[in-house]
Amino acid sequence: MEEPRWLSAAELSTWMSLAKLMVVLPSTLDSRLQRESGLTYFEYMVLAALSDRHDHRMRMSDLAAFANGSVSRLSHVARRLEAQGLVRREPSPDDRRSILMALTDDGRARMVAAAPDHVDAVRSHVMDPLTPEQVAQLGVIADRITATMDPDAC
C-alpha cells in the first residue's frame, strides 16, 4: 500500500481554516435566513434556483443536484414548501417519469422578500472582509476546486 501524500504544515493550516469556514458559514447563513424569513438556506437555494429559470420550473433531480441535496431530501422540502404555497410539483411534459418543481407567485414573492437580507449576510460575512482582489481570487479558487469534483458525488 502506498503512503498517503500527507499535508504539509502550511497545507494543513489552510485546510483547517477552510474546513472551519465550510461548517460555520452555512450555519450562520441558515440561522439568519430562518430568523429573518422563515426559510432554511436549502429552501432559499431551491427557491432562488427556480426563480432564476425563465419558466420557474426545474426537474426535481436537477434541482437536487443544484442544491447539493438528495432527491429524497428535496422531496421532503418540497412537501414543506408546497404546504406553504411556495412551490407545486407537476409532471414533466417531456418525460413522464420526471417531476418538475414549479415556483408559485407566492414562492417568488417570498424569495424576493428574503433576498435583501440574505445578500446583506453574504456581503457582511464573505465580501466585505475581503479586498476586491481577494474576492476575485476566491471566485477563481472556488471554481478550480469544484471543477475537480464529480457532479454526481456532490
Side-chain angles (χ1 to χ4, degrees):
M1 182 175 243
E2 203 172 304
E3 181 73 14
R5 288 181 46 220
W6 298 110
L7 299 177
S8 69
E11 289 170 332
L12 181 58
S13 176
T14 298
W15 169 245
M16 294 306 292
S17 293
L18 179 59
K20 182 178 179 182
L21 175 65
M22 290 187 312
V23 170
V24 172
L25 184 60
S27 64
T28 298
L29 296 174
D30 188 66
S31 295
R32 184 160 168 179
L33 271 167
Q34 286 188 54
R35 184 178 64 248
E36 300 300 325
S37 68
L39 294 169
T40 67
Y41 183 70
F42 188 79
E43 290 167 341
Y44 178 85
M45 292 305 293
V46 166
L47 296 178
L50 293 171
S51 180
D52 284 345
R53 301 290 294 224
H54 74 280
D55 63 353
H56 303 299
R57 288 171 174 71
M58 201 170 188
R59 272 185 354 164
M60 293 276 291
S61 57
D62 293 340
L63 189 54
F66 170 82
N68 197 27
S70 66
V71 174
S72 73
R73 179 181 182 197
L74 181 61
S75 292
H76 177 72
V77 168
R79 279 192 297 280
R80 217 169 39 237
L81 294 175
E82 277 181 311
Q84 296 176 55
L86 305 180
V87 299
R88 68 178 173 279
R89 285 183 268 193
E90 50 192 47
S92 171
D94 303 328
D95 179 0
R96 288 182 175 176
R97 296 170 296 161
S98 294
I99 301 295
L100 299 178
M101 187 180 292
L103 186 65
T104 65
D105 290 342
D106 287 347
R108 177 145 171 75
R110 181 85 168 273
M111 198 277 313
V112 167
D117 188 70
H118 177 63
V119 170
D120 183 62
V122 169
R123 177 165 299 290
S124 66
H125 295 296
V126 179
M127 301 304 167
D128 289 348
L130 304 176
T131 67
E133 294 79 19
Q134 289 170 325
V135 170
Q137 290 170 345
L138 181 60
V140 169
I141 291 166
D143 288 345
R144 183 158 226 184
I145 291 170
T146 56
T148 69
M149 297 177 188
D150 176 6
D152 296 329
C154 295

